[in-house]
Amino acid sequence: MNQTIRRLPHARIEADSTVEFFFDGRRYTGKKGDSLASALLANGVGVVGRSFKLHRPRGILGCGTEEPNALVQLESGEYTEPNVRATLIPLYPGLVAKGQNAWPSVRFDLLGAVGLCKRLLPASFYYKTFMWPNWRSWEWLVRRIAGLGTAPQAADAERYVKQNIHADVVVVGAGRSGLEAALEAARDPAKRVLLIDSQEEPGGRLLGSPVPEERSWLANALSEVAQRDNITLLCRTTVNGYYDNNVLAALERRSNHLGPRSGNAFRECFWRVFAGRVILATGAIERPLVFPNNDRPGIMLASAVREYTHRYGLTLAREIVFYTNNDSAWQVALELHRVGVKVDAIIDIRGAVDSALVEGARDAGINHYLGTRVINTKGRSGIRRLKIQRAPADGDPSVQSVESLPCELLAISGGWTPTLHLYSQSGGKLQYRESDACLIPDCNNQNISVVGRAAGEFRGELNLQCQWLTPDVPPENQWVDFQYDVTAADIQLAARENFVSVEHVKRYTTNGMSVDQGKTSNVNGLGILALATDREIPAVGTTRFRPPFHPTTIGAYAGIELGALYKPVHLLPAHKAHLTCGASFDDYGSWQRPVCYPKPGEAEAAAIAREAVAVREAVGLLDYSPLGKLEVVGPDARAFLDRVYINNMVSLKHGAARYGLMLNEAGIVIDDGVVVCLAEDHFLLHTTSGGAAVIHRHLDEWLQCEWTDLQVVVNNCTTQWATMMLSGPKARDVLQQLDCDIDLSRESFGHMQYREGHLLGQRCRILRASFTGEVSFEVSVPARYGQSLWKILMQRGANMGITPFGIEALMLLRTEKGYLHIGADTDGNTMPQDLGWGGAIARKAGDFIGSRSLSLPVGLDADRLQFTGLELLDPKGQTISGAHILSADERTTNGYVTSAVHSPNLNRTVALGIVAGAAQRQGEEVTVFYDGLRQRARLVSPCAYDPEGNALNG
Amino acid sequence: MEKYSAFGLLRHALSGHRRWPQVWRSAELKPNYDAVVIGGGGHGLATAYYLAKEHGITNVAVLEKGWLGGGNTGRNTAVSRSNYFYPESTRFFEHSLKRFETMGRDLNYNIMFTQGGVLSLAFSRHEMEIFRRWATAIQVQGVDCRVMGREEVSEAVPLLNMSPHARYRVYGGFMQQRGGISRHDAVAWAYARAASSLGVDIIQNCEVTGLNISDGAVRGVQTTLGTIRTSKLAMAVAGHSSVVAGMAGIKLPIVSQCLQAMVSEPIKPCFDHVVMSPQVHCYVSQSDRGELVIGGGADTHPSYGQRGNLPTTESVLNAVTEMYPAFSRLKLMRQWGGIVDITPDASPIVSKTPVNGFYISAGWGTGGYKAIPAGGETLAYTMAHDRAHPLVEPFSLARFAQGRLVDESAAAGVAH
Amino acid sequence: MDELIEETVLAGASVQRKTLQVVELAAFGLVRLQACDRTERGLAVLSEQLGLTLPGPGLVLDSQEGAWFWTAPGEWLVAVTAGAEEQSLSALRSRLGSEGVACSIVTDSHVVLEISGVAAREVLARGSTVDFHPVNFPTGKCLLTQFAGLPVLLATLPGRDTFILFADRSVGQYLIEWFKSASSDC
Amino acid sequence: MIRIECPWCGLRSESEFTCGGQSHIVRPENPAEVSDEIWAEYLYQRENPRGLHRERWRHTYGCRQWFNVIRDTVTHEILAVYHMTDSAPEVSGGRE
């Protein structure tokens, strides 16, 4: 059936428009202003989904975020989105949606067969079976039957953005109460008011009102809002999270109403709202009544019927029957009649109903059955007939009569549930109001207030008569959670098995755990549990609501910070120059640094080896800029550093450099580097590359929190300088070609010395330290000249075979030399005595950070892992960082290989490690184990290359 | 205790499921118990069960201030694994993992333990070296674990971002195939059912307000339901250890922090393993119900607020979107927080205390769930013999004064 | 003869949108001043030596050296004319005397961006949680905050709705990419 | 989300700060002379209260200064902010 229903004149849609869309492969048309749900209804599509567990056919129950049934898979490929409420999708041209959790289709679903063994599948049946032979043999099946939509396989083609906003007053919900509150607050022109509404347009329930006065009130209110320039109105924006200190998270749908490929830069905007005061005008959600087979397509909330009729102008069915326990549904029925939609009957549980309503119904020619219950419904893909039963008059069963009514649409109302998810998230407590059988705000700590229906202020009394489930008929087919197939019987079973805490029942029956998070099922479940356990509802308690109020796009939480923007990346001053030299880059502590400079077609390992050899035989050039540089200045600088390093800093002479080792208070080695004395009150600390910020924080903490009397400041100048390391026998020759006012000769500028001067007319700092074992000059110039310096050195060094080298070659070279690399050759237990610094500590007079911890029992253990070299007995043998040293019985670990390279200069494997008691075991043979392979090795001095250090002093 | 089985289910179906017995007895609080366990979470219930089953101590009460399983047991991401670095840790958690493997049959309750494998991803050369060191440590201890290269990883996790230009490039990882996920509520309920049937009294909505201690020994417990006399008292109150220990005048090396977890809407199966990305603080698995279960790092400030916090949620989901670009259009359905006890070495404390008869199980950090069976078993043993179970000797309260920390992250550079 | 050639951080890279523009400013030389004695007395002495009332948090002071930005207790960033760092440094040193104050040239460690356009405040509010509403962040003010995950100093130029952002030079490229992406609807 | 009034920079969001844990921990005068137990206590034992907590924070993304805060660890309400060198002020209750 593809002919669409004629729309009522007062509808808020463009009657003469035609919007084409597709559902389950069929082509339909709707109107501009339709939601997918209203368009489907207009096309007479009854079954739009299948339930989670039993695959029962499901129709549209509601008209908004509360919808538990109409979940569809929207679009396809990189634009597909599972589990979308049809009620929340504005119809756009060419929309493509599919029913979910069904095969082949929701109209005819073979998995519906599961429903036949319903009796075998009560709540949590799975805990009681699938144990033989074991869970694994069943699990695959269960997993496949469970789940709803399908996950996208391709990356999201659209982008998201995050926006922070501050406001004095934030009003959530632009229905009548919300608009009133916002306008009230905006009277004070100094106040910034933010009004947020989740629908396509503001107005809330007024959008579904046929009453002319209400419609004009809305129009006026909206124009006033538009005029106030201290009110910001955000539509299509759902507040999903309410966090501490009045911070709200909201999601704005920017292009979902246009569909994919809308050309919008951002699909959704994630708002972080910082509110002074929050006013919740979030309205209320209607509750279904619980009765046998209340889950058939064609059974709809009365509030939804109202919306579809007046907002979308639909005449939903020929035979419309209402079933209620309160007055609100009567109003809806009469409103329908007023716009010319025929209502056949109103069935009301209550024996007596306000006479005005009864007369209204009589005048409208609507049959009404008071004191009457629906005890069953019939129909295959949709409801066709009702079975109703008049309640026995004062317990006299004889007078009860059962009738059957034709019914194409059953509009139900079991009362209203104020929407207090955000209130609860904010830490607010709820209280139960007997008269309306609903939970309302109680008390709250944050600056928040609740108005309108959300506060339980229902315009006009409901005169509700509570009925949590239908008595005297089987509970097995009385549905509570339509999506997860939870029935009254399931909740009773839970109680029977002693799951009487509301949280237990939720978890045991899964009531309210479906994607709607129980918006229509929680309170009914609560009531049924109260009955089953013979308690009052306050005694049962409620479950705490958790964010998000409505499921929220995961990508929106990420915003734009993905890919290259995922985490800030630091670039070297000479980054481009490295590219031109053919560098391959990698992330080293968030710095993009050259790994090596492979020649065309050259493998990484080969390039690294070539670079390492070049440094030993001629000269290499390394961009060393990320090496941490901290300047410590002040009258107490020297005293401070003496407490920071285990090494003696009291005797450090002006212009001299000294190696320093830094511990944390637990005695663990955290950093090392060369310390230079620039002046009596001025020191330059070098930290491990990328470690400057961490060490800066470490020093600041001690200065600000512990030694507040010390007059010392720390200046992180790491990126002020571009540092180029020239290393190799020809390093000096290269540098001497450049115009420099520092005497670079071996005699006057020795190892571990530091000079300042001018290079090519610019200020420069040169440090002679070495991490390669070769003569090295670490030349620093202001960063703006870094790239230029690199290029010049490459040019002038060309005739001496200068070779750019990367981090990996540097690591290879320092491993050959047995130079310690903190973090690689140490772990979180390493103390200085494990690195051969025991003597220095013993000699040091004063206290320093971590010193006391070194003498805790653990520090004195004989089997501490200590730094050592490892020489494989088999000269051709290879090993890898991560291999272990086994104990004699090979049952436990005795240490591990921390650095291992194939040395091109020694043409064998060179390895470093930390091994139990290594210092006392030099020369001993041990077993190295990796990936099932055992090798013999000898514990030797870490320094494998040039132990005499001739190269260094060359 | 009625045996659960498919046949039983069928039989009860005929009677409309109206004859199912209580899963655990509703017990009245007695004035006297041989042993009392504070905390009705997985650890507390398991402890009571093993006291009764292994040590014949059946006059036992479990006191739960809320509803049983309502603490971290019901709030975590239900991962079990034993891929630890130090032998002390591996030995303990491997024992626990074995218990998980047979729990369904042992307790006749299907906890749905799915051993899809736990895969940890490395994002740099250095991390890969650490992982090799880590994986080898596990192999040396005879536990299953294998290092995987980039290609293997990409096959195992087809939805993973394998771009060579990714901000954090995947270098590889290592997998413990026997690791996996189970249904956390089921574990608590299974132990409650088993313990209750052995005579243990499970008392819910009973908060401990004070401890009766004299001459350095436990005499009893004051609760909101009255005072109980007992000489053996254990606490297994993850998240609130400092508070309860404080009642005994004991200060702990513990900081309580909020750890968040979250789930997406349910989708059809698309994710087979538990995949951890320590470098970017996110781990992901998919539950039997189809939800993606997502966890991350704990908030860095002390917290007893059992609720989600926006900045953490954002950073975790930012990582998820970066790692799995296809999940961007899925929707987050529910987010919550649990309070975890963090010790200086992130290893637990299962120990006697300076107070005779008072035993603590605390400091499980983010790894408490996987420890439930072994944690209960060893605490029960420690109570019964007033002597630490061999498996928990390294996890004594006294280790800190000796500096003998068991710091997994120190060796592996990765928290658990 | 070799000569070191000066290069800017972004080498001309910029963001040009209808409602937002981001360009690198090379017009400044930057000097950092740090007082070792951060007590009130110490700072009073400092002000006296300099002959200025040094600005407190959020405030900008215009002196003949240039603009002074408070960056921490007892610490200021002084923006001088590009190239004039050396003079300013020696000028300051001479007034201060060597003891107890650290003066360093930090021009090269910074990248300075100018952000302008009607969308400027909106886009800034995508990178930081501070309130950029003119009421809270009027022109002539400055603040330190976390922006796009980085520590930055933001300042507004007196009179104009234009923003100056100071960040570490190594993240200059990242920031430009960030602005490109964040402003794709501008 | 925790919002903290930095004594220098004003009200900022949690993500701009680093929490340094319990404050007012006294470092032994002469570390060399205290027992292992005392030293371990100083290193590891913490108050960890459920309720008011005196802790130190650093405005990492702002003025880089450490300062003290009194915070309710349940509600995350900030009851006081004071300088590193000041002693803790008396505060009433908190929301717990």
Side-chain angles (χ1 to χ4, degrees), chain C residues 57 70 73 75 129 144-146, chain D residues 8 12-13 15-16 61 64:
Chain C
W70 181 94
E75 180 182 306
T129 59
L144 296 147
T145 185
Q146 180 185 41
Chain D
W8 292 275
R12 298 302 176 83
S13 300
S15 54
E16 292 204 354
Y61 286 86
R64 307 188 323 270

Side-chain angles (χ1 to χ4, degrees), chain A residues 106-271:
Chain A
V106 290
R107 237 174 295 105
F108 175 72
D109 175 16
L110 285 175
L111 291 167
V114 178
L116 301 179
C117 25
K118 180 176 175 306
R119 294 199 73 185
L120 284 174
L121 313 176
S124 287
F125 67 96
Y126 32 80
Y127 295 137
K128 296 174 177 151
T129 176
F130 298 135
M131 284 174 283
W132 184 89
N134 55 34
W135 167 238
R136 196 181 290 107
S137 34
W138 298 92
E139 186 222 346
W140 64 272
L141 177 67
V142 175
R143 275 173 85 92
R144 262 149 203 74
I145 295 179
L148 288 168
T150 51
Q153 295 301 300
D156 192 343
E158 296 184 276
R159 285 254 167 254
Y160 307 83
V161 69
K162 289 190 201 175
Q163 186 83 57
N164 299 298
I165 188 169
H166 298 250
D168 303 300
V169 180
V170 173
V171 181
V172 184
R176 184 172 211 134
S177 318
L179 288 163
E180 283 168 350
L183 290 168
E184 171 63 32
R187 287 240 180 83
D188 175 352
K191 287 237 178 305
R192 277 187 273 163
V193 179
L194 179 64
L195 176 57
I196 307 178
D197 190 82
S198 64
Q199 293 205 67
E200 294 300 301
E201 50 181 319
R205 290 180 76 250
L206 295 174
L207 296 171
S209 164
V211 186
E213 302 71 42
E214 295 187 340
R215 293 187 155 212
S216 53
W217 184 93
L218 175 58
N220 298 335
L222 291 178
S223 63
E224 196 181 340
V225 166
Q227 283 151 21
R228 296 265 186 203
D229 52 12
N230 61 334
I231 300 183
T232 310
L233 173 62
L234 280 179
C235 280
R236 302 195 170 98
T237 307
T238 311
V239 178
N240 284 317
Y242 198 131
Y243 300 91
D244 299 325
N245 302 296
N246 271 8
V247 176
L248 279 58
L251 189 72
E252 179 189 9
R253 307 179 299 278
R254 288 203 171 160
S255 69
N256 284 9
H257 61 295
L258 305 170
R261 305 176 187 80
S262 66
N264 266 35
F266 300 116
R267 178 189 178 213
E268 292 172 349
C269 176
F270 186 96
W271 291 85

